[in-house]
Amino acid sequence: MEPAIHPSILNCDVAHLARELDRVAADPSSGRAGADGVHVDVMDNHFVPNLSWGLPVVQAVLAHTPLPVDAHLMIEAADRWAPAYAEAGCHTVTAHLEASTAPVRLARELHRLGSQAGIALRPATPLEAVADVLGEFDMLLIMTVEPGFGGQSFIDAMLPKIERARRMVGRRGLELRIQVDGGVSATTIGRAAEAGADVFVAGSAVYRAPDALDAVDQLRALASAHRHGYVSC
Ligand code: DX5
Ligand code: ZN
C-alpha cells in the first residue's frame, strides 16, 4: 500500500484554522497533490495532560476540508464518545486501547456508523495487548511519543514494535494499516517506514515548514524510498 501522510493540526495556527487546513489540501491552481488526510487530536485533559478541542471543532474541520479526517481520540471513556465522531463523518476514528473497555464492540459500532476504526497504543502498552482483536480494526496506531503534545522526539524503541506489528499483519493476511504518530520528520520517517509503518502523522514537520505541501511531498518520497523492507513480508 502507498504510504500516506496525515498532517496533525494540533500545533497549527488555530486562529486561522481554515487557512491552515488549506495549506495541506491539493492546490488545483498549481496541480499539486495534497496530503492524504488530516489528523485531528482530541484531548480531554484526563487521558493526557492537555486539552485541545472536541466534536464542534472537528465538525468545523469536516465542513471545511476536502481531505479525509482521521480523528485521534486521546480521551477517557472512548466507548462512550467515539461514535459521535463517526456520525459526524470522520473517515477514521481511533480510540486508545487503554481508554476503551470494549474495543471490539466499539470497532463494530464505528463500522455501523460508516467510519473506519483505529486502535492506538501508548508507548508502554505492548502490541500483544491488542493482538487478539486486531482483525476487527482498519488501522493500528503505534504512538512514537507519549501522547499529549506535539514537538516531542521520536522514540526509537518503538521500531521493534512496528516491525512485530508488520509481521503480524503479513502472517495473518490482514488489511490493517499501521500508523505512527509523534516525532515523525524527514530524519525519522525512513526508519518508521522501514520498520513497516505506512500511515505517517506529522505535526511540526509539516506545519513549521515554510511550504507545508513541500514538506508533505518530501515525507512521502522518503517513506516510499524506505518502504521496500516490508513489501515482500
Ligand atoms: C501527540 C499527537 C500528535 C502530535 C504530533 O500526542 O497525537 O498527533 O500532533 O506532533 P509532532 O509531529 O510534532 O510530534
Ligand atoms: Zn495524534
PDB file of all heavy atoms in Angstrom, residues 5-8 23-24 184 202-213 215-216 219:
ATOM      1  N   ILE A   5       0.486  10.358   4.157  1.00  0.00           N
ATOM      2  CA  ILE A   5       0.950  11.402   5.078  1.00  0.00           C
ATOM      3  C   ILE A   5      -0.270  12.162   5.604  1.00  0.00           C
ATOM      4  O   ILE A   5      -1.057  12.709   4.818  1.00  0.00           O
ATOM      5  CB  ILE A   5       1.909  12.399   4.370  1.00  0.00           C
ATOM      6  CG1 ILE A   5       3.045  11.665   3.634  1.00  0.00           C
ATOM      7  CG2 ILE A   5       2.445  13.415   5.382  1.00  0.00           C
ATOM      8  CD1 ILE A   5       4.003  10.893   4.503  1.00  0.00           C
ATOM      9  N   HIS A   6      -0.411  12.159   6.930  1.00  0.00           N
ATOM     10  CA  HIS A   6      -1.531  12.853   7.571  1.00  0.00           C
ATOM     11  C   HIS A   6      -0.983  13.969   8.473  1.00  0.00           C
ATOM     12  O   HIS A   6      -0.555  13.701   9.604  1.00  0.00           O
ATOM     13  CB  HIS A   6      -2.351  11.879   8.427  1.00  0.00           C
ATOM     14  CG  HIS A   6      -3.129  10.878   7.647  1.00  0.00           C
ATOM     15  ND1 HIS A   6      -4.118  10.105   8.206  1.00  0.00           N
ATOM     16  CD2 HIS A   6      -3.088  10.526   6.339  1.00  0.00           C
ATOM     17  CE1 HIS A   6      -4.648   9.313   7.274  1.00  0.00           C
ATOM     18  NE2 HIS A   6      -4.027   9.541   6.140  1.00  0.00           N
ATOM     19  N   PRO A   7      -1.008  15.210   8.025  1.00  0.00           N
ATOM     20  CA  PRO A   7      -0.578  16.296   8.902  1.00  0.00           C
ATOM     21  C   PRO A   7      -1.500  16.417  10.120  1.00  0.00           C
ATOM     22  O   PRO A   7      -2.721  16.307   9.993  1.00  0.00           O
ATOM     23  CB  PRO A   7      -0.685  17.546   8.011  1.00  0.00           C
ATOM     24  CG  PRO A   7      -0.614  17.021   6.612  1.00  0.00           C
ATOM     25  CD  PRO A   7      -1.292  15.683   6.648  1.00  0.00           C
ATOM     26  N   SER A   8      -0.895  16.638  11.292  1.00  0.00           N
ATOM     27  CA  SER A   8      -1.667  16.887  12.513  1.00  0.00           C
ATOM     28  C   SER A   8      -1.800  18.392  12.696  1.00  0.00           C
ATOM     29  O   SER A   8      -0.799  19.111  12.675  1.00  0.00           O
ATOM     30  CB  SER A   8      -0.947  16.286  13.718  1.00  0.00           C
ATOM     31  OG  SER A   8      -1.415  16.910  14.906  1.00  0.00           O
ATOM     32  N   ARG A  23      -3.606  24.781   3.631  1.00  0.00           N
ATOM     33  CA  ARG A  23      -2.167  24.623   3.349  1.00  0.00           C
ATOM     34  C   ARG A  23      -1.784  23.185   3.013  1.00  0.00           C
ATOM     35  O   ARG A  23      -0.740  22.945   2.410  1.00  0.00           O
ATOM     36  CB  ARG A  23      -1.321  25.062   4.563  1.00  0.00           C
ATOM     37  CG  ARG A  23      -1.200  26.550   4.725  1.00  0.00           C
ATOM     38  CD  ARG A  23      -0.401  26.883   5.984  1.00  0.00           C
ATOM     39  NE  ARG A  23       1.010  26.571   5.862  1.00  0.00           N
ATOM     40  CZ  ARG A  23       1.844  26.447   6.890  1.00  0.00           C
ATOM     41  NH1 ARG A  23       1.417  26.620   8.123  1.00  0.00           N
ATOM     42  NH2 ARG A  23       3.116  26.150   6.701  1.00  0.00           N
ATOM     43  N   VAL A  24      -2.601  22.222   3.459  1.00  0.00           N
ATOM     44  CA  VAL A  24      -2.223  20.815   3.209  1.00  0.00           C
ATOM     45  C   VAL A  24      -3.169  20.123   2.219  1.00  0.00           C
ATOM     46  O   VAL A  24      -3.041  18.935   1.953  1.00  0.00           O
ATOM     47  CB  VAL A  24      -2.136  20.008   4.531  1.00  0.00           C
ATOM     48  CG1 VAL A  24      -1.039  20.575   5.429  1.00  0.00           C
ATOM     49  CG2 VAL A  24      -3.463  19.966   5.280  1.00  0.00           C
ATOM     50  N   VAL A 184       7.539  12.404  13.965  1.00  0.00           N
ATOM     51  CA  VAL A 184       7.800  11.955  12.582  1.00  0.00           C
ATOM     52  C   VAL A 184       8.296  13.166  11.778  1.00  0.00           C
ATOM     53  O   VAL A 184       7.632  14.194  11.710  1.00  0.00           O
ATOM     54  CB  VAL A 184       6.525  11.353  11.944  1.00  0.00           C
ATOM     55  CG1 VAL A 184       6.757  11.051  10.467  1.00  0.00           C
ATOM     56  CG2 VAL A 184       6.098  10.095  12.698  1.00  0.00           C
ATOM     57  N   ALA A 202       2.314  13.748  10.899  1.00  0.00           N
ATOM     58  CA  ALA A 202       3.405  14.701  11.113  1.00  0.00           C
ATOM     59  C   ALA A 202       2.795  16.056  11.431  1.00  0.00           C
ATOM     60  O   ALA A 202       2.048  16.608  10.617  1.00  0.00           O
ATOM     61  CB  ALA A 202       4.296  14.779   9.875  1.00  0.00           C
ATOM     62  N   GLY A 203       3.087  16.559  12.613  1.00  0.00           N
ATOM     63  CA  GLY A 203       2.589  17.867  13.029  1.00  0.00           C
ATOM     64  C   GLY A 203       3.607  18.943  12.733  1.00  0.00           C
ATOM     65  O   GLY A 203       3.540  19.637  11.716  1.00  0.00           O
ATOM     66  N   SER A 204       4.601  19.057  13.615  1.00  0.00           N
ATOM     67  CA  SER A 204       5.604  20.115  13.446  1.00  0.00           C
ATOM     68  C   SER A 204       6.320  20.035  12.106  1.00  0.00           C
ATOM     69  O   SER A 204       6.613  21.067  11.499  1.00  0.00           O
ATOM     70  CB  SER A 204       6.672  20.037  14.539  1.00  0.00           C
ATOM     71  OG  SER A 204       6.225  19.345  15.640  1.00  0.00           O
ATOM     72  N   ALA A 205       6.620  18.825  11.652  1.00  0.00           N
ATOM     73  CA  ALA A 205       7.406  18.683  10.417  1.00  0.00           C
ATOM     74  C   ALA A 205       6.673  19.307   9.227  1.00  0.00           C
ATOM     75  O   ALA A 205       7.306  19.765   8.277  1.00  0.00           O
ATOM     76  CB  ALA A 205       7.706  17.213  10.141  1.00  0.00           C
ATOM     77  N   VAL A 206       5.345  19.332   9.283  1.00  0.00           N
ATOM     78  CA  VAL A 206       4.579  19.919   8.173  1.00  0.00           C
ATOM     79  C   VAL A 206       4.245  21.378   8.471  1.00  0.00           C
ATOM     80  O   VAL A 206       4.502  22.270   7.662  1.00  0.00           O
ATOM     81  CB  VAL A 206       3.286  19.109   7.918  1.00  0.00           C
ATOM     82  CG1 VAL A 206       2.362  19.843   6.949  1.00  0.00           C
ATOM     83  CG2 VAL A 206       3.626  17.717   7.386  1.00  0.00           C
ATOM     84  N   TYR A 207       3.690  21.630   9.674  1.00  0.00           N
ATOM     85  CA  TYR A 207       3.184  22.987   9.929  1.00  0.00           C
ATOM     86  C   TYR A 207       4.275  24.001  10.234  1.00  0.00           C
ATOM     87  O   TYR A 207       4.066  25.194  10.090  1.00  0.00           O
ATOM     88  CB  TYR A 207       2.076  22.954  10.978  1.00  0.00           C
ATOM     89  CG  TYR A 207       0.752  22.652  10.304  1.00  0.00           C
ATOM     90  CD1 TYR A 207       0.156  21.406  10.389  1.00  0.00           C
ATOM     91  CD2 TYR A 207       0.134  23.621   9.518  1.00  0.00           C
ATOM     92  CE1 TYR A 207      -1.036  21.135   9.726  1.00  0.00           C
ATOM     93  CE2 TYR A 207      -1.051  23.363   8.846  1.00  0.00           C
ATOM     94  CZ  TYR A 207      -1.637  22.119   8.954  1.00  0.00           C
ATOM     95  OH  TYR A 207      -2.805  21.876   8.277  1.00  0.00           O
ATOM     96  N   ARG A 208       5.456  23.537  10.643  1.00  0.00           N
ATOM     97  CA  ARG A 208       6.536  24.513  10.856  1.00  0.00           C
ATOM     98  C   ARG A 208       7.360  24.729   9.593  1.00  0.00           C
ATOM     99  O   ARG A 208       8.264  25.551   9.581  1.00  0.00           O
ATOM    100  CB  ARG A 208       7.445  24.070  12.008  1.00  0.00           C
ATOM    101  CG  ARG A 208       6.726  24.192  13.331  1.00  0.00           C
ATOM    102  CD  ARG A 208       7.685  24.356  14.510  1.00  0.00           C
ATOM    103  NE  ARG A 208       6.964  24.129  15.746  1.00  0.00           N
ATOM    104  CZ  ARG A 208       7.338  23.299  16.707  1.00  0.00           C
ATOM    105  NH1 ARG A 208       8.464  22.622  16.578  1.00  0.00           N
ATOM    106  NH2 ARG A 208       6.614  23.142  17.787  1.00  0.00           N
ATOM    107  N   ALA A 209       7.037  24.001   8.538  1.00  0.00           N
ATOM    108  CA  ALA A 209       7.777  24.182   7.280  1.00  0.00           C
ATOM    109  C   ALA A 209       7.247  25.424   6.573  1.00  0.00           C
ATOM    110  O   ALA A 209       6.064  25.729   6.665  1.00  0.00           O
ATOM    111  CB  ALA A 209       7.594  22.947   6.397  1.00  0.00           C
ATOM    112  N   PRO A 210       8.124  26.135   5.850  1.00  0.00           N
ATOM    113  CA  PRO A 210       7.643  27.325   5.132  1.00  0.00           C
ATOM    114  C   PRO A 210       6.572  26.960   4.107  1.00  0.00           C
ATOM    115  O   PRO A 210       5.619  27.704   3.903  1.00  0.00           O
ATOM    116  CB  PRO A 210       8.900  27.879   4.443  1.00  0.00           C
ATOM    117  CG  PRO A 210      10.041  26.994   4.822  1.00  0.00           C
ATOM    118  CD  PRO A 210       9.562  25.913   5.733  1.00  0.00           C
ATOM    119  N   ASP A 211       6.729  25.819   3.450  1.00  0.00           N
ATOM    120  CA  ASP A 211       5.736  25.359   2.484  1.00  0.00           C
ATOM    121  C   ASP A 211       5.277  23.977   2.923  1.00  0.00           C
ATOM    122  O   ASP A 211       6.013  22.991   2.811  1.00  0.00           O
ATOM    123  CB  ASP A 211       6.347  25.323   1.076  1.00  0.00           C
ATOM    124  CG  ASP A 211       5.300  24.975   0.014  1.00  0.00           C
ATOM    125  OD1 ASP A 211       4.537  23.994   0.221  1.00  0.00           O
ATOM    126  OD2 ASP A 211       5.237  25.665  -1.005  1.00  0.00           O
ATOM    127  N   ALA A 212       4.041  23.908   3.439  1.00  0.00           N
ATOM    128  CA  ALA A 212       3.551  22.654   4.016  1.00  0.00           C
ATOM    129  C   ALA A 212       3.478  21.541   2.970  1.00  0.00           C
ATOM    130  O   ALA A 212       3.801  20.384   3.266  1.00  0.00           O
ATOM    131  CB  ALA A 212       2.180  22.891   4.653  1.00  0.00           C
ATOM    132  N   LEU A 213       3.067  21.886   1.742  1.00  0.00           N
ATOM    133  CA  LEU A 213       2.958  20.826   0.719  1.00  0.00           C
ATOM    134  C   LEU A 213       4.330  20.300   0.305  1.00  0.00           C
ATOM    135  O   LEU A 213       4.466  19.110  -0.007  1.00  0.00           O
ATOM    136  CB  LEU A 213       2.184  21.328  -0.503  1.00  0.00           C
ATOM    137  CG  LEU A 213       0.661  21.345  -0.367  1.00  0.00           C
ATOM    138  CD1 LEU A 213       0.018  21.698  -1.705  1.00  0.00           C
ATOM    139  CD2 LEU A 213       0.110  20.017   0.149  1.00  0.00           C
ATOM    140  N   ALA A 215       6.761  19.979   2.368  1.00  0.00           N
ATOM    141  CA  ALA A 215       7.114  19.063   3.464  1.00  0.00           C
ATOM    142  C   ALA A 215       6.371  17.734   3.303  1.00  0.00           C
ATOM    143  O   ALA A 215       6.959  16.658   3.500  1.00  0.00           O
ATOM    144  CB  ALA A 215       6.784  19.705   4.803  1.00  0.00           C
ATOM    145  N   VAL A 216       5.097  17.789   2.923  1.00  0.00           N
ATOM    146  CA  VAL A 216       4.330  16.555   2.707  1.00  0.00           C
ATOM    147  C   VAL A 216       4.968  15.730   1.586  1.00  0.00           C
ATOM    148  O   VAL A 216       5.168  14.515   1.721  1.00  0.00           O
ATOM    149  CB  VAL A 216       2.841  16.876   2.365  1.00  0.00           C
ATOM    150  CG1 VAL A 216       2.109  15.646   1.853  1.00  0.00           C
ATOM    151  CG2 VAL A 216       2.137  17.472   3.588  1.00  0.00           C
ATOM    152  N   LEU A 219       8.211  14.127   2.804  1.00  0.00           N
ATOM    153  CA  LEU A 219       7.970  12.994   3.711  1.00  0.00           C
ATOM    154  C   LEU A 219       7.468  11.784   2.932  1.00  0.00           C
ATOM    155  O   LEU A 219       7.897  10.649   3.165  1.00  0.00           O
ATOM    156  CB  LEU A 219       6.940  13.392   4.786  1.00  0.00           C
ATOM    157  CG  LEU A 219       7.413  14.413   5.818  1.00  0.00           C
ATOM    158  CD1 LEU A 219       6.247  14.894   6.673  1.00  0.00           C
ATOM    159  CD2 LEU A 219       8.525  13.826   6.706  1.00  0.00           C
TER     160      LEU A 219
END
